[in-house]
């Protein structure tokens, strides 16, 4: 049995382009693809923090160093330039593969600069409001 697990995440990256009449679905700076191991034409999920939209699409390459996140075609209707999105890719792993797997996660500031990379997320704790 396979389990679906997070492979890579671009967290809070800003949409720079929204091209309704362009082939492809989500152009991502080639440098970020290399950093995360994501590949052109790989399926991704995009979660729009600003409007709550969620969609499934695929990756196309944007120029290395450009800082581009472009939602294209039908995906362009799900986000506006300036929206902050989370882009995730998932992998199907066997339980024994999961023991060694670590996702690659890039965290961005509002200017699309990578401010942190990690392969883990801290354990969520109760806040004072939860007590």
């Amino acid at each position: 049995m396979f389990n679906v697990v997070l492979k890579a995440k671009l967290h809070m990256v800003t949409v720079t382009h929204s091209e309704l009449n362009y082939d492809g679905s989500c152009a991502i700076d080639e440098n970020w693809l290399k950093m995360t191991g994501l590949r052109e034409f790989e399926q991704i999920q995009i979660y729009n923090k600003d409007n709550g939209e969620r969609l499934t699409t695929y990756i196309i390459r944007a120029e290395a160093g450009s800082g581009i996140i472009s939602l294209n075609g039908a995906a362009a209707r799900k986000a506006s330039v300036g929206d902050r999105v989370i882009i995730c890719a998932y992998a199907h792993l066997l339980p024994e593969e999961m023991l060694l797997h670590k996702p690659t996660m890039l965290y961005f500031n509002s200017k699309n600069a990578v401010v942190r990379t990690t392969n883990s997320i801290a354990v969520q704790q109760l806040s004072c409001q939860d007590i």
Side-chain angles (χ1 to χ4, degrees), residues 18-91:
S18 182
E19 305 286 345
L20 186 60
N21 296 311
Y22 190 86
D23 289 343
S25 279
C26 183
I28 299 174
D29 183 314
E30 186 174 12
N31 288 345
W32 300 335
L33 298 180
K34 289 177 182 174
M35 291 174 73
T36 58
L38 294 172
R39 299 183 60 161
E40 191 169 26
F41 306 116
E42 185 170 358
Q43 180 176 301
I44 54 174
Q45 301 284 324
I46 300 176
Y47 313 118
N48 188 326
K49 186 173 184 286
D50 291 315
N51 67 18
E53 290 283 355
R54 300 166 78 91
L55 67 126
T56 302
T57 189
Y58 61 92
I59 297 167
I60 61 173
R61 278 182 302 115
E63 181 180 358
S66 65
I68 288 176
I69 293 292
S70 182
L71 293 180
N72 303 318
R77 299 213 184 263
K78 302 290 186 177
S80 299
V81 171
D83 284 359
R84 303 290 299 272
V85 298
I86 301 165
I87 300 173
C88 295
Y90 298 90

Side-chain angles (χ1 to χ4, degrees), residues 95-112:
E96 56 271 18
E97 293 174 308
M98 289 180 63
L99 297 174
L100 300 173
H101 174 71
K102 299 284 185 190
T104 303
M105 297 176 281
L106 306 181
Y107 289 76
F108 294 83
N109 66 16
S110 60
K111 296 179 181 171
N112 277 1

Side-chain angles (χ1 to χ4, degrees), residues 1 3 5-6 10 12 14 18 33 40 47 52 64 73-74 82 87 103 106 108 111 114 125 127 130:
M1 172 176 59
N3 294 285
V5 298
L6 182 66
L10 283 68
M12 297 297 287
T14 301
S18 182
L33 298 180
E40 191 169 26
Y47 313 118
I87 300 173
L106 306 181
F108 294 83
K111 296 179 181 171
V114 176
Q125 299 180 1
S127 69
D130 296 327

